[in-house]
mmCIF file of all heavy atoms in Angstrom:
data_model
loop_
_atom_site.group_PDB
_atom_site.id
_atom_site.type_symbol
_atom_site.label_atom_id
_atom_site.label_comp_id
_atom_site.label_asym_id
_atom_site.label_seq_id
_atom_site.Cartn_x
_atom_site.Cartn_y
_atom_site.Cartn_z
ATOM 1 N N ARG A 219 0.853 -1.194 0.000
ATOM 2 C CA ARG A 219 0.000 0.000 0.000
ATOM 3 C C ARG A 219 0.888 1.242 0.000
ATOM 4 O O ARG A 219 1.659 1.476 0.916
ATOM 5 C CB ARG A 219 -0.916 -0.023 1.225
ATOM 6 C CG ARG A 219 -2.050 0.942 1.172
ATOM 7 C CD ARG A 219 -3.015 0.817 2.364
ATOM 8 N NE ARG A 219 -2.450 0.283 3.590
ATOM 9 C CZ ARG A 219 -2.689 -0.956 4.059
ATOM 10 N NH1 ARG A 219 -3.462 -1.782 3.397
ATOM 11 N NH2 ARG A 219 -2.143 -1.353 5.186
ATOM 12 N N GLY A 220 0.827 1.994 -1.063
ATOM 13 C CA GLY A 220 1.626 3.202 -1.182
ATOM 14 C C GLY A 220 3.052 2.982 -1.647
ATOM 15 O O GLY A 220 3.790 3.943 -1.846
ATOM 16 N N ALA A 221 3.459 1.730 -1.823
ATOM 17 C CA ALA A 221 4.823 1.447 -2.282
ATOM 18 C C ALA A 221 4.920 1.745 -3.780
ATOM 19 O O ALA A 221 3.943 1.628 -4.509
ATOM 20 C CB ALA A 221 5.177 -0.017 -2.021
ATOM 21 N N PRO A 222 6.105 2.109 -4.246
ATOM 22 C CA PRO A 222 6.281 2.405 -5.670
ATOM 23 C C PRO A 222 6.417 1.134 -6.518
ATOM 24 O O PRO A 222 7.424 0.911 -7.181
ATOM 25 C CB PRO A 222 7.554 3.245 -5.688
ATOM 26 C CG PRO A 222 8.343 2.723 -4.537
ATOM 27 C CD PRO A 222 7.323 2.364 -3.482
ATOM 28 N N VAL A 223 5.395 0.285 -6.448
ATOM 29 C CA VAL A 223 5.361 -0.967 -7.202
ATOM 30 C C VAL A 223 4.091 -0.959 -8.038
ATOM 31 O O VAL A 223 3.008 -0.732 -7.504
ATOM 32 C CB VAL A 223 5.345 -2.200 -6.272
ATOM 33 C CG1 VAL A 223 5.243 -3.482 -7.070
ATOM 34 C CG2 VAL A 223 6.555 -2.215 -5.368
ATOM 35 N N ALA A 224 4.225 -1.224 -9.316
ATOM 36 C CA ALA A 224 3.066 -1.287 -10.203
ATOM 37 C C ALA A 224 2.731 -2.754 -10.474
ATOM 38 O O ALA A 224 3.543 -3.473 -11.038
ATOM 39 C CB ALA A 224 3.357 -0.564 -11.504
ATOM 40 N N LEU A 225 1.543 -3.187 -10.033
ATOM 41 C CA LEU A 225 1.042 -4.518 -10.350
ATOM 42 C C LEU A 225 0.165 -4.366 -11.577
ATOM 43 O O LEU A 225 -0.830 -3.632 -11.541
ATOM 44 C CB LEU A 225 0.232 -5.085 -9.189
ATOM 45 C CG LEU A 225 1.037 -5.636 -8.019
ATOM 46 C CD1 LEU A 225 1.531 -4.521 -7.137
ATOM 47 C CD2 LEU A 225 0.208 -6.606 -7.237
ATOM 48 N N ILE A 226 0.527 -5.057 -12.663
ATOM 49 C CA ILE A 226 -0.101 -4.800 -13.958
ATOM 50 C C ILE A 226 -0.633 -6.080 -14.586
ATOM 51 O O ILE A 226 0.058 -7.095 -14.633
ATOM 52 C CB ILE A 226 0.912 -4.157 -14.926
ATOM 53 C CG1 ILE A 226 1.494 -2.877 -14.327
ATOM 54 C CG2 ILE A 226 0.263 -3.877 -16.276
ATOM 55 C CD1 ILE A 226 2.647 -2.300 -15.106
ATOM 56 N N GLY A 227 -1.841 -5.983 -15.101
ATOM 57 C CA GLY A 227 -2.446 -7.069 -15.852
ATOM 58 C C GLY A 227 -3.876 -6.716 -16.199
ATOM 59 O O GLY A 227 -4.353 -5.621 -15.891
ATOM 60 N N HIS A 228 -4.551 -7.635 -16.844
ATOM 61 C CA HIS A 228 -5.974 -7.465 -17.148
ATOM 62 C C HIS A 228 -6.588 -8.857 -17.322
ATOM 63 O O HIS A 228 -5.964 -9.851 -16.969
ATOM 64 C CB HIS A 228 -6.182 -6.578 -18.390
ATOM 65 C CG HIS A 228 -5.681 -7.147 -19.672
ATOM 66 N ND1 HIS A 228 -4.388 -6.975 -20.103
ATOM 67 C CD2 HIS A 228 -6.287 -7.903 -20.611
ATOM 68 C CE1 HIS A 228 -4.227 -7.576 -21.262
ATOM 69 N NE2 HIS A 228 -5.362 -8.157 -21.591
ATOM 70 N N SER A 229 -7.776 -8.916 -17.824
ATOM 71 C CA SER A 229 -8.475 -10.178 -18.035
ATOM 72 C C SER A 229 -8.720 -10.841 -16.680
ATOM 73 O O SER A 229 -9.248 -10.219 -15.767
ATOM 74 C CB SER A 229 -7.675 -11.065 -18.995
ATOM 75 O OG SER A 229 -8.334 -12.286 -19.258
ATOM 76 N N ASP A 230 -8.301 -12.070 -16.510
ATOM 77 C CA ASP A 230 -8.518 -12.811 -15.273
ATOM 78 C C ASP A 230 -7.821 -12.161 -14.072
ATOM 79 O O ASP A 230 -8.231 -12.348 -12.934
ATOM 80 C CB ASP A 230 -8.013 -14.246 -15.463
ATOM 81 C CG ASP A 230 -8.497 -15.195 -14.402
ATOM 82 O OD1 ASP A 230 -9.678 -15.099 -14.017
ATOM 83 O OD2 ASP A 230 -7.708 -16.037 -13.960
ATOM 84 N N PHE A 231 -6.806 -11.386 -14.324
ATOM 85 C CA PHE A 231 -6.079 -10.673 -13.270
ATOM 86 C C PHE A 231 -6.987 -9.691 -12.534
ATOM 87 O O PHE A 231 -6.712 -9.306 -11.404
ATOM 88 C CB PHE A 231 -4.876 -9.951 -13.888
ATOM 89 C CG PHE A 231 -3.912 -9.366 -12.891
ATOM 90 C CD1 PHE A 231 -3.175 -10.182 -12.063
ATOM 91 C CD2 PHE A 231 -3.741 -8.002 -12.800
ATOM 92 C CE1 PHE A 231 -2.276 -9.651 -11.150
ATOM 93 C CE2 PHE A 231 -2.846 -7.456 -11.891
ATOM 94 C CZ PHE A 231 -2.112 -8.289 -11.067
ATOM 95 N N THR A 232 -8.086 -9.309 -13.158
ATOM 96 C CA THR A 232 -9.018 -8.355 -12.558
ATOM 97 C C THR A 232 -9.554 -8.857 -11.218
ATOM 98 O O THR A 232 -9.746 -8.065 -10.288
ATOM 99 C CB THR A 232 -10.180 -8.052 -13.524
ATOM 100 O OG1 THR A 232 -9.634 -7.616 -14.766
ATOM 101 C CG2 THR A 232 -11.106 -6.991 -12.974
ATOM 102 N N ALA A 233 -9.781 -10.143 -11.077
ATOM 103 C CA ALA A 233 -10.250 -10.691 -9.798
ATOM 104 C C ALA A 233 -9.240 -10.391 -8.694
ATOM 105 O O ALA A 233 -9.609 -9.996 -7.581
ATOM 106 C CB ALA A 233 -10.473 -12.192 -9.918
ATOM 107 N N LEU A 234 -7.961 -10.560 -8.992
ATOM 108 C CA LEU A 234 -6.913 -10.272 -8.014
ATOM 109 C C LEU A 234 -6.834 -8.777 -7.722
ATOM 110 O O LEU A 234 -6.667 -8.372 -6.568
ATOM 111 C CB LEU A 234 -5.561 -10.788 -8.513
ATOM 112 C CG LEU A 234 -5.468 -12.291 -8.688
ATOM 113 C CD1 LEU A 234 -4.183 -12.667 -9.405
ATOM 114 C CD2 LEU A 234 -5.563 -12.994 -7.354
ATOM 115 N N GLN A 235 -6.958 -7.966 -8.760
ATOM 116 C CA GLN A 235 -6.897 -6.521 -8.574
ATOM 117 C C GLN A 235 -8.003 -6.052 -7.632
ATOM 118 O O GLN A 235 -7.747 -5.259 -6.720
ATOM 119 C CB GLN A 235 -7.021 -5.809 -9.922
ATOM 120 C CG GLN A 235 -5.822 -6.023 -10.813
ATOM 121 C CD GLN A 235 -6.025 -5.432 -12.181
ATOM 122 O OE1 GLN A 235 -6.893 -5.852 -12.932
ATOM 123 N NE2 GLN A 235 -5.219 -4.431 -12.503
ATOM 124 N N CYS A 236 -9.202 -6.532 -7.856
ATOM 125 C CA CYS A 236 -10.335 -6.119 -7.012
ATOM 126 C C CYS A 236 -10.140 -6.574 -5.569
ATOM 127 O O CYS A 236 -10.378 -5.805 -4.635
ATOM 128 C CB CYS A 236 -11.640 -6.665 -7.581
ATOM 129 S SG CYS A 236 -12.132 -5.908 -9.143
ATOM 130 N N ALA A 237 -9.686 -7.803 -5.384
ATOM 131 C CA ALA A 237 -9.476 -8.319 -4.028
ATOM 132 C C ALA A 237 -8.335 -7.597 -3.327
ATOM 133 O O ALA A 237 -8.443 -7.266 -2.135
ATOM 134 C CB ALA A 237 -9.194 -9.822 -4.084
ATOM 135 N N LEU A 238 -7.244 -7.328 -4.039
ATOM 136 C CA LEU A 238 -6.119 -6.626 -3.423
ATOM 137 C C LEU A 238 -6.508 -5.219 -2.991
ATOM 138 O O LEU A 238 -6.080 -4.743 -1.934
ATOM 139 C CB LEU A 238 -4.921 -6.582 -4.382
ATOM 140 C CG LEU A 238 -4.220 -7.917 -4.613
ATOM 141 C CD1 LEU A 238 -3.242 -7.822 -5.774
ATOM 142 C CD2 LEU A 238 -3.522 -8.390 -3.342
ATOM 143 N N PHE A 239 -7.347 -4.573 -3.767
ATOM 144 C CA PHE A 239 -7.801 -3.239 -3.381
ATOM 145 C C PHE A 239 -8.798 -3.315 -2.221
ATOM 146 O O PHE A 239 -8.660 -2.591 -1.232
ATOM 147 C CB PHE A 239 -8.430 -2.507 -4.563
ATOM 148 C CG PHE A 239 -8.854 -1.112 -4.207
ATOM 149 C CD1 PHE A 239 -7.906 -0.121 -3.994
ATOM 150 C CD2 PHE A 239 -10.196 -0.791 -4.057
ATOM 151 C CE1 PHE A 239 -8.282 1.159 -3.648
ATOM 152 C CE2 PHE A 239 -10.582 0.489 -3.708
ATOM 153 C CZ PHE A 239 -9.627 1.467 -3.501
ATOM 154 N N ALA A 240 -9.771 -4.198 -2.325
ATOM 155 C CA ALA A 240 -10.810 -4.299 -1.290
ATOM 156 C C ALA A 240 -10.256 -4.772 0.048
ATOM 157 O O ALA A 240 -10.642 -4.257 1.095
ATOM 158 C CB ALA A 240 -11.920 -5.242 -1.755
ATOM 159 N N ARG A 241 -9.353 -5.734 0.030
ATOM 160 C CA ARG A 241 -8.869 -6.326 1.278
ATOM 161 C C ARG A 241 -7.548 -5.760 1.762
ATOM 162 O O ARG A 241 -7.214 -5.888 2.936
ATOM 163 C CB ARG A 241 -8.713 -7.843 1.099
ATOM 164 C CG ARG A 241 -9.949 -8.588 0.651
ATOM 165 C CD ARG A 241 -10.809 -9.133 1.762
ATOM 166 N NE ARG A 241 -10.123 -9.800 2.820
ATOM 167 C CZ ARG A 241 -9.908 -11.103 2.909
ATOM 168 N NH1 ARG A 241 -10.308 -11.901 1.938
ATOM 169 N NH2 ARG A 241 -9.296 -11.615 3.949
ATOM 170 N N GLY A 242 -6.760 -5.142 0.843
ATOM 171 C CA GLY A 242 -5.446 -4.652 1.243
ATOM 172 C C GLY A 242 -5.196 -3.189 0.931
ATOM 173 O O GLY A 242 -4.143 -2.657 1.268
ATOM 174 N N GLY A 243 -6.153 -2.528 0.262
ATOM 175 C CA GLY A 243 -5.964 -1.128 -0.097
ATOM 176 C C GLY A 243 -4.864 -0.913 -1.121
ATOM 177 O O GLY A 243 -4.290 0.167 -1.214
ATOM 178 N N ILE A 244 -4.584 -1.934 -1.925
ATOM 179 C CA ILE A 244 -3.488 -1.885 -2.886
ATOM 180 C C ILE A 244 -4.029 -1.442 -4.246
ATOM 181 O O ILE A 244 -4.932 -2.066 -4.795
ATOM 182 C CB ILE A 244 -2.814 -3.260 -3.017
ATOM 183 C CG1 ILE A 244 -2.275 -3.701 -1.648
ATOM 184 C CG2 ILE A 244 -1.708 -3.229 -4.069
ATOM 185 C CD1 ILE A 244 -1.927 -5.165 -1.574
ATOM 186 N N VAL A 245 -3.454 -0.388 -4.773
ATOM 187 C CA VAL A 245 -3.832 0.112 -6.083
ATOM 188 C C VAL A 245 -3.007 -0.620 -7.137
ATOM 189 O O VAL A 245 -1.792 -0.755 -7.001
ATOM 190 C CB VAL A 245 -3.598 1.639 -6.176
ATOM 191 C CG1 VAL A 245 -3.882 2.153 -7.576
ATOM 192 C CG2 VAL A 245 -4.472 2.362 -5.151
ATOM 193 N N THR A 246 -3.677 -1.101 -8.168
ATOM 194 C CA THR A 246 -3.016 -1.823 -9.255
ATOM 195 C C THR A 246 -3.344 -1.139 -10.585
ATOM 196 O O THR A 246 -4.116 -0.180 -10.615
ATOM 197 C CB THR A 246 -3.496 -3.287 -9.305
ATOM 198 O OG1 THR A 246 -4.905 -3.297 -9.563
ATOM 199 C CG2 THR A 246 -3.201 -4.008 -7.994
ATOM 200 N N TYR A 247 -2.764 -1.633 -11.659
ATOM 201 C CA TYR A 247 -2.985 -1.063 -12.985
ATOM 202 C C TYR A 247 -3.608 -2.105 -13.910
ATOM 203 O O TYR A 247 -3.111 -3.231 -13.993
ATOM 204 C CB TYR A 247 -1.660 -0.629 -13.617
ATOM 205 C CG TYR A 247 -1.014 0.547 -12.952
ATOM 206 C CD1 TYR A 247 -0.225 0.389 -11.822
ATOM 207 C CD2 TYR A 247 -1.173 1.831 -13.466
ATOM 208 C CE1 TYR A 247 0.376 1.470 -11.210
ATOM 209 C CE2 TYR A 247 -0.574 2.915 -12.861
ATOM 210 C CZ TYR A 247 0.197 2.728 -11.734
ATOM 211 O OH TYR A 247 0.788 3.798 -11.135
ATOM 212 N N GLY A 248 -4.651 -1.708 -14.607
ATOM 213 C CA GLY A 248 -5.143 -2.505 -15.715
ATOM 214 C C GLY A 248 -4.263 -2.158 -16.901
ATOM 215 O O GLY A 248 -4.224 -1.002 -17.313
ATOM 216 N N GLY A 249 -3.521 -3.116 -17.397
ATOM 217 C CA GLY A 249 -2.592 -2.805 -18.471
ATOM 218 C C GLY A 249 -2.093 -4.044 -19.173
ATOM 219 O O GLY A 249 -2.591 -5.144 -18.946
ATOM 220 N N PRO A 250 -1.098 -3.871 -20.027
ATOM 221 C CA PRO A 250 -0.613 -4.969 -20.861
ATOM 222 C C PRO A 250 0.034 -6.083 -20.054
ATOM 223 O O PRO A 250 0.486 -5.885 -18.934
ATOM 224 C CB PRO A 250 0.410 -4.283 -21.770
ATOM 225 C CG PRO A 250 0.831 -3.074 -21.032
ATOM 226 C CD PRO A 250 -0.349 -2.640 -20.223
ATOM 227 N N MET A 251 0.050 -7.254 -20.668
ATOM 228 C CA MET A 251 0.659 -8.423 -20.048
ATOM 229 C C MET A 251 1.796 -8.942 -20.931
ATOM 230 O O MET A 251 1.922 -8.561 -22.093
ATOM 231 C CB MET A 251 -0.387 -9.502 -19.811
ATOM 232 C CG MET A 251 -1.412 -9.069 -18.766
ATOM 233 S SD MET A 251 -2.545 -10.369 -18.254
ATOM 234 C CE MET A 251 -3.618 -10.479 -19.665
ATOM 235 N N LEU A 252 2.589 -9.813 -20.354
ATOM 236 C CA LEU A 252 3.792 -10.287 -21.037
ATOM 237 C C LEU A 252 3.491 -10.937 -22.389
ATOM 238 O O LEU A 252 3.988 -10.488 -23.415
ATOM 239 C CB LEU A 252 4.551 -11.279 -20.146
ATOM 240 C CG LEU A 252 5.804 -11.876 -20.787
ATOM 241 C CD1 LEU A 252 6.871 -10.806 -21.003
ATOM 242 C CD2 LEU A 252 6.331 -13.024 -19.955
ATOM 243 N N GLY A 253 2.725 -11.995 -22.395
ATOM 244 C CA GLY A 253 2.530 -12.758 -23.623
ATOM 245 C C GLY A 253 1.640 -12.091 -24.650
ATOM 246 O O GLY A 253 2.076 -11.822 -25.774
ATOM 247 N N PRO A 254 0.393 -11.820 -24.297
ATOM 248 C CA PRO A 254 -0.523 -11.309 -25.316
ATOM 249 C C PRO A 254 -0.189 -9.907 -25.813
ATOM 250 O O PRO A 254 -0.546 -9.553 -26.934
ATOM 251 C CB PRO A 254 -1.884 -11.337 -24.637
ATOM 252 C CG PRO A 254 -1.618 -11.455 -23.189
ATOM 253 C CD PRO A 254 -0.269 -12.082 -23.033
#
């Protein structure tokens, strides 16, 4: 929370993003992924 770390992904990663924000107050980024 508040650390200069960008957690990035989309698609199925959205479930993790929502949970990390709701339960840990962690802001993430919807963005590009490695393979696709």
Side-chain angles (χ1 to χ4, degrees):
R219 194 175 26 254
V223 177
L225 282 79
I226 304 171
H228 65 273
S229 182
D230 195 41
F231 190 66
T232 305
L234 296 170
Q235 292 174 296
C236 291
L238 289 169
F239 182 72
R241 304 268 315 266
I244 301 165
V245 175
T246 62
Y247 291 83
M251 293 188 285
L252 178 67

